[in-house]
Amino acid sequence: MIPVPDFTVGNTITVAIAIYKQNWKKYLKLSLIAHLWLLVPVYGWARYFAIAAWISKLSLNELVAQPDNIEHKQYFTIRSLFIFMFTALVTIFTILIAIVLCYFFIIILLICIAFLLQIIFNSPIVDNLNQIIDKEEGVAFWTFFWGIILLFSLASTLSYVRLFLTDFGLTGNQTDKLFNLISQSYSLTKQKLKIFSIILQSFFLVFPVWVISFFFVIIVLSFLLWGIERFVVSEININDVYLGLLFFICWIVWTNLLTMPFWQSVKAVTYHELNQRVDYDLMSNHRQ
């Protein structure tokens, strides 16, 4: 059992790192199995989310003196897989709604800027919009570009805050309801700002892993392509779009394979602390 200090953002991440370090071999093996299951449509995707939830449970067991008695196989029954898959789809749909709303907000913002430029410089609105979108150089363009990326990222993260703990709440029996995981996550994540801070700082912590993985995947793919051209065929004709897509998929999968156990550990520590706080509040109200 790993002792948990006061519930602060820094302590939460520190304990999550400690859990990952103590169990990295087991967690990475489970993460590899989960990502291999992604090759199987629908059923394999459900297995991926179930394994991710199982890693969270194993991380939670590191924090509690008396772990619950839910067995491994109960996470992988057809009913449980359906619940995990449904919960994941709801989460993805919620994030997509936030992104779409952001998209329309940006369109309205561009129109307002165009109107403002028309008033100031007395130039056509369409030309102003084209200049804003098509000009791919200068500080103003890149500031606007990264501002949009930041806006999309913040919107998707804020929409995910209330669904951050949907890996917990499974009891492994037939009384599990379809919305159990979602409702429990909503009931625990009332401290939205703190949860958002935990997600944000955890992202900054794993960001170097994404950067290192970027160059690692480039080196590995380049070496593989060189080996194929050197020993198998004399020349490989691969469309740049397909090559870029292959690189992107390999980069995302490899990095997520390494970082997924860390995120599940962060969720476990957060859930442990918030759940303890809820239990304490209930006991205090009962005494009153």
Side-chain angles (χ1 to χ4, degrees):
M1 175 180 174
I2 297 178
V4 182
D6 294 335
F7 182 42
T8 64
V9 175
N11 288 339
T12 300
I13 297 173
T14 300
V15 174
I17 293 173
I19 293 173
Y20 190 7
K21 287 175 63 177
Q22 289 188 13
N23 302 275
W24 67 272
K25 288 184 179 179
K26 176 169 60 176
Y27 288 179
L28 284 180
K29 179 181 178 181
L30 288 172
S31 182
L32 175 61
I33 294 172
H35 283 80
L36 289 176
W37 272 112
L38 289 175
L39 298 173
V40 181
V42 186
Y43 177 76
W45 303 341
R47 296 277 302 193
Y48 170 87
F49 296 119
I51 293 173
W54 178 249
I55 294 175
S56 290
K57 180 186 181 299
L58 293 177
S59 299
L60 183 62
N61 289 347
E62 298 286 330
L63 302 170
V64 295
Q66 296 181 337
D68 60 56
N69 58 357
I70 302 179
E71 297 179 1
H72 176 269
K73 62 181 181 181
Q74 292 176 305
Y75 269 69
F76 299 95
T77 63
I78 296 299
R79 181 180 180 82
S80 297
L81 291 177
F82 180 75
I83 291 174
F84 283 124
M85 188 67 179
F86 173 80
T87 304
L89 289 175
V90 170
T91 303
I92 294 170
F93 183 69
T94 302
I95 294 173
L96 286 177
I97 289 177
I99 292 175
V100 169
L101 291 176
C102 264
Y103 174 79
F104 284 111
F105 172 78
I106 291 170
I107 295 298
I108 294 172
L109 181 63
L110 284 174
I111 293 174
C112 291
I113 292 174
F115 269 110
L116 183 62
L117 292 175
Q118 184 188 33
I119 294 173
I120 296 174
F121 299 106
N122 194 27
S123 58
I125 295 176
V126 176
D127 291 343
N128 290 327
L129 286 174
N130 289 333
Q131 289 176 9
I132 292 171
I133 296 172
D134 294 338
K135 190 175 181 181
E136 298 182 0
E137 58 184 11
V139 176
F141 170 80
W142 288 109
T143 302
F144 184 73
F145 173 79
W146 286 111
I148 291 176
I149 297 297
L150 179 62
L151 183 63
F152 276 109
S153 301
L154 290 176
S156 58
T157 304
L158 286 171
S159 65
Y160 179 56
V161 163
R162 300 307 300 271
L163 298 168
F164 186 58
L165 301 178
T166 51
D167 292 320
F168 306 92
L170 187 75
T171 62
N173 57 44
Q174 294 301 316
T175 62
D176 282 332
K177 299 296 190 299
L178 198 57
F179 289 91
N180 264 9
L181 305 183
I182 297 172
S183 61
Q184 174 146 329
S185 180
Y186 262 80
S187 67
L188 290 174
T189 54
K190 295 177 182 178
Q191 301 181 45
K192 295 186 286 291
L193 183 60
K194 178 167 282 190
I195 306 298
F196 178 79
S197 299
I198 290 172
I199 296 174
L200 188 63
Q201 292 194 31
S202 298
F203 171 77
F204 285 135
L205 185 66
V206 301
F207 182 75
V209 180
W210 284 88
V211 175
I212 294 172
S213 296
F214 180 86
F215 293 104
F216 174 78
V217 172
I218 286 180
I219 293 171
V220 171
L221 284 181
S222 299
F223 181 77
L224 287 175
L225 291 175
W226 173 84
I228 293 173
E229 288 184 345
R230 178 72 173 80
F231 300 105
V232 181
V233 294
S234 58
E235 184 178 355
I236 301 177
N237 294 318
I238 302 179
N239 188 288
D240 290 341
V241 175
Y242 294 133
L243 187 60
L245 183 61
L246 175 64
F247 163 75
F248 181 76
I249 293 174
C250 291
W251 177 45
I252 295 295
V253 171
W254 171 252
T255 311
N256 194 61
L257 189 152
L258 296 175
T259 59
M260 190 255 274
F262 167 73
W263 283 108
Q264 301 309 115
S265 298
V266 171
K267 292 180 182 182
V269 180
T270 305
Y271 173 81
H272 176 262
E273 289 303 296
L274 291 175
N275 199 48
Q276 275 196 329
R277 188 177 294 269
V278 170
D279 291 342
Y280 176 78
D281 291 341
L282 289 174
M283 290 176 63
S284 300
N285 293 333
H286 180 71
R287 289 170 184 169
Q288 292 175 0

